[in-house]
Amino acid sequence: MTLDPFMEAAIQEAKLGLTAGGIPIGSAVVKDGIIVGRGHNLRVQRSSAILHAEMSALESLGRQPAMFYQQVTLYTTLSPCSMCTGAILLYKIPHVVIGENRTFMGEEALLKAHGVKVTVLDHPTCYQMMQAFIQTTPQLWHEDIGVEQP
Amino acid sequence: MTLDPFMEAAIQEAKLGLTAGGIPIGSAVVKDGIIVGRGHNLRVQRSSAILHAEMSALESLGRQPAMFYQQVTLYTTLSPCSMCTGAILLYKIPHVVIGENRTFMGEEALLKAHGVKVTVLDHPTCYQMMQAFIQTTPQLWHEDIGVEQP
């Protein structure tokens, strides 16, 4: 597949997280063809229940006026959960590019119902990262999506 | 009205935020009749786009197993926006107690559609705090909900 430089940045974030002992999910925020924000899941690193990758990337932007968010595209290596989806809807981000949704199908239908453009790349690296992670550390993954480990 | 000690704690949080120059919205998390987490909106104080009151209160809990959230009640002085609603749904919090929803009607319908119990107190202090704040600082309020100031 053709490399998408913004998804590659999100993947780089995911790998940074993995290297630090975290959950390998990354995100980037792009405005006018430039990466303006980025981040990765910080559950382990910050003992955080809210710093999913998308939230970290949004937080890296600091405070922005409403119009700012309406001009960005959010890249994330994994389909966004209901919390991250809610943040996307709050700030009316018009376009979300998703690495993969086979490991976890987030609230893509809710995004679309609100008029958000959703692009799923089905990127093999995104999928393989999560599969390898879940195989070795299933309890972390389940904690991250608020599910009791089966 | 009879004072609800948990909503009073959320109001106390909102007032702490206001004193610090922030947006007066507060939240508390209650488990087995005890306040286990609390927080307030930190947009101004931390230049944060994600630390709404409910998110701050959830973050104050650190990492918890899935079952933990399913046994708590979340108190918030203001009806939860789509981001905070998404967090409530992610962690399957079964009951949300809302100070008021006249200033801002959040995603209460979505919460109810997912089986979350929603209690609205229509608490005069919560309403008056927000009304006074918006009258003096409308731009901050609009920024917080991702809306262009009219």
Side-chain angles (χ1 to χ4, degrees), chain A residues 43 48-49 59 63 91 143, chain B residues 43 48-49 59 63 91 143:
Chain A
R43 173 171 294 273
S48 172
E59 190 67 336
R63 286 171 57 186
Y91 289 116
E143 183 189 310
Chain B
R43 173 171 296 272
S48 173
E59 190 68 335
R63 286 171 58 186
Y91 290 116
E143 182 189 309

Side-chain angles (χ1 to χ4, degrees), chain A residues 29-30 58 64-74 84-96 110-111 114-117, chain B residues 43 49 52 81-83 104 107 141-149:
Chain A
V29 179
V30 175
L58 289 173
Q64 298 294 341
M67 190 53 76
F68 179 94
Y69 300 100
Q70 296 168 30
Q71 298 167 348
V72 307
T73 298
L74 179 80
C84 298
T85 294
I88 291 162
L89 294 177
L90 171 64
Y91 289 116
K92 302 180 190 67
I93 294 174
H95 187 193
V96 178
L110 188 63
L111 287 172
H114 281 83
V116 178
K117 182 178 172 190
Chain B
R43 173 171 296 272
H52 278 190
C81 80
S82 60
M83 173 176 66
F104 175 78
E107 299 295 328
W141 164 241
H142 286 93
E143 182 189 309
D144 202 49
I145 52 169
V147 171
E148 291 293 309
Q149 197 184 334

Side-chain angles (χ1 to χ4, degrees), chain B residues 68-79:
Chain B
F68 179 93
Y69 300 100
Q70 296 168 30
Q71 298 167 347
V72 307
T73 297
L74 179 80
Y75 287 75
T76 174
T77 57
L78 185 65
S79 188

